Amino acid sequence: MNPKILIIGACGQIGTELTHKLRAIYGTENVIASDIRKMNTDVVHSGPFEVVNALDFNQIEHLVEVHQITDVYLMAALLSATAEKNPAFAWDLNMNSLFHVLNLAKAKKIKKIFWPSSIAVFGPTTPKENTPQYTIMEPSTVYGISKQAGERWCEYYHHIFGVDVRSIRYPGLISWSTPPGGGTTDYAVDIYHKALEQSKYECFLSAETKMPMMYMDDAIRATIQIMQADAEKIKIHSSYNLAAMSFTPTQIATEIKKHIPDFEITYQPDFRQQIADSWPASIDDTSAREDWGWKHEFDLGSMTQDMLLHLREQ
Ligand code: AKB
């Protein structure tokens, strides 16, 4: 039987593409998109949509009951750069929305939860290259602290209350169809737009800042794959490391130059440099590959080709 899905934060960078994909797989009527406002996006017009405040337990519970929801994808969050500007609200939103959904599962009102974590759970004392699944985790950002605490709560709710919650530590995500949402890795999306519009880009990170990244197609596939996996394959109930590629601003600029030869990049690092410096440069995702068969498809070359193709069409 098809799951009945509620996506909270459906109008965001990941939520938008996830909604379209889940509707294609499970049927439009089985995927209820929701967000804090009714935005003028495809997500709102292409199927059922509800306005919901992720901080309001009663609103979420009401939607779950009315639509007989089985699975919730909780995509509402404040990302790293935005969270530094509003720490109290970031903590409130990132933690309490998670508690609401975990408590609905604990009360057996829903069956399964997807909750995104991030490479931001790692910090300056974490080994930088090939960061292992289990390692030192001392995040230095508000966002990272909230994601690390969230991971602990997911594991706790699984062990103590038997809640089926599944999670991935997303790297920076790159998409042509949806804008990024206030993160430190956002430059890797902006750079493609500016390359096509102006043949130049001023980067807010320094030239050799290497970070783990992933094309949105791969991220959506991973999200659906972990949710579809048999429960016994999910051995990690905090969050799985997930990787596809790692690159620096210099490397992405070099790749873009292959398609737009006069493209120029300059560097003007801002407060986001410190955040980027505290994160891993590359990730070891062996557990995700072994436990539920994760395999990425896009590398820097194929992603750049696909991004430029779609943005040119747009
Ligand atoms: C951010 O930069 O904050 C996000 C993330 C890595 O979670 N893209």
Side-chain angles (χ1 to χ4, degrees):
M1 211 178 75
N2 274 339
K4 198 82 196 279
I5 293 171
L6 173 65
I7 304 173
I8 301 174
C11 294
Q13 189 199 16
I14 309 172
T16 303
E17 299 204 26
L18 188 60
T19 303
H20 291 315
K21 194 74 196 177
L22 288 172
R23 282 180 174 163
I25 297 173
Y26 296 116
T28 301
E29 67 289 355
N30 290 319
V31 180
I32 319 299
S34 74
D35 214 305
I36 184 83
R37 279 186 304 278
K38 198 165 188 169
M39 294 166 215
N40 194 18
T41 62
D42 282 1
V43 161
V44 173
H45 304 296
S46 69
F49 181 86
E50 299 274 5
V51 171
V52 74
N53 179 355
L55 286 172
D56 188 330
F57 178 81
N58 294 331
Q59 276 186 24
I60 303 174
E61 186 184 41
H62 177 72
L63 281 188
V64 162
E65 285 171 0
V66 167
H67 293 284
Q68 299 181 310
I69 297 297
T70 58
D71 298 6
V72 173
Y73 290 69
L74 174 57
M75 311 312 286
L78 239 57
L79 298 187
S80 58
T82 320
E84 289 307 303
K85 294 183 177 154
N86 201 345
F89 178 62
W91 177 255
D92 188 20
L93 176 64
N94 293 3
M95 294 312 303
N96 286 320
S97 59
L98 175 59
F99 276 125
H100 294 339
V101 175
L102 287 172
N103 284 329
L104 283 171
K106 178 186 165 195
K108 308 259 179 283
K109 296 196 171 188
I110 52 174
K111 290 193 178 134
K112 217 190 271 184
I113 299 168
F114 178 81
W115 177 76
S117 187
S118 160
I119 54 161
V121 294
F122 301 114
T125 51
T126 303
K128 231 177 158 45
E129 287 291 348
N130 265 324
T131 300
Q133 176 70 42
Y134 300 107
T135 184
I136 301 166
M137 293 164 88
E138 296 184 314
S140 54
T141 62
V142 176
Y143 175 61
I145 294 168
S146 73
K147 287 295 176 188
Q148 191 199 26
E151 286 192 8
R152 298 290 88 227
W153 282 112
C154 287
E155 193 170 82
Y156 184 88
Y157 269 70
H158 175 78
H159 286 320
I160 306 294
F161 306 121
V163 167
D164 188 351
V165 51
R166 303 173 183 206
S167 179
I168 281 168
R169 292 174 181 151
Y170 287 127
L173 299 182
I174 296 147
S175 156
W176 60 268
S177 69
T178 46
T184 303
T185 57
D186 292 9
Y187 89 87
V189 179
D190 296 342
I191 194 169
Y192 288 108
H193 288 269
K194 294 284 177 351
L196 284 169
E197 287 159 16
Q198 304 169 6
S199 287
K200 60 177 191 212
Y201 178 65
E202 185 174 275
C203 186
F204 58 74
L205 299 179
S206 65
E208 300 310 321
T209 309
K210 186 168 137 200
M211 283 197 288
M213 300 280 186
M214 183 176 285
Y215 200 35
M216 188 60 87
D217 297 44
D218 274 341
I220 298 296
R221 237 174 4 89
T223 306
I224 294 171
Q225 200 180 340
I226 193 174
M227 284 298 271
Q228 288 179 336
D230 293 339
E232 57 278 10
K233 291 202 167 150
I234 308 299
K235 303 203 172 89
I236 293 171
H237 299 281
S238 50
S239 190
Y240 276 92
N241 274 8
L242 194 76
M245 60 186 114
S246 282
F247 55 77
T248 64
T250 310
Q251 286 169 324
I252 191 173
T254 305
E255 203 56 44
I256 290 173
K257 263 174 179 291
K258 291 182 189 165
H259 303 266
I260 305 171
D262 62 341
F263 175 64
E264 295 292 343
I265 185 166
T266 52
Y267 302 94
Q268 194 66 54
D270 66 15
F271 73 100
R272 288 168 281 194
Q273 183 65 48
Q274 208 180 347
I275 301 177
D277 287 342
S278 77
W279 287 352
S282 60
I283 297 284
D284 177 350
D285 64 353
T286 310
S287 297
R289 288 173 195 264
E290 285 179 358
D291 290 0
W292 45 274
W294 162 243
K295 205 161 169 271
H296 72 277
E297 281 175 7
F298 285 87
D299 60 14
L300 178 57
S302 48
M303 175 178 79
T304 299
Q305 208 166 356
D306 205 63
M307 278 293 283
L308 293 174
L309 184 83
H310 282 104
L311 288 177
R312 276 189 172 121
E313 279 171 10
Q314 237 180 10

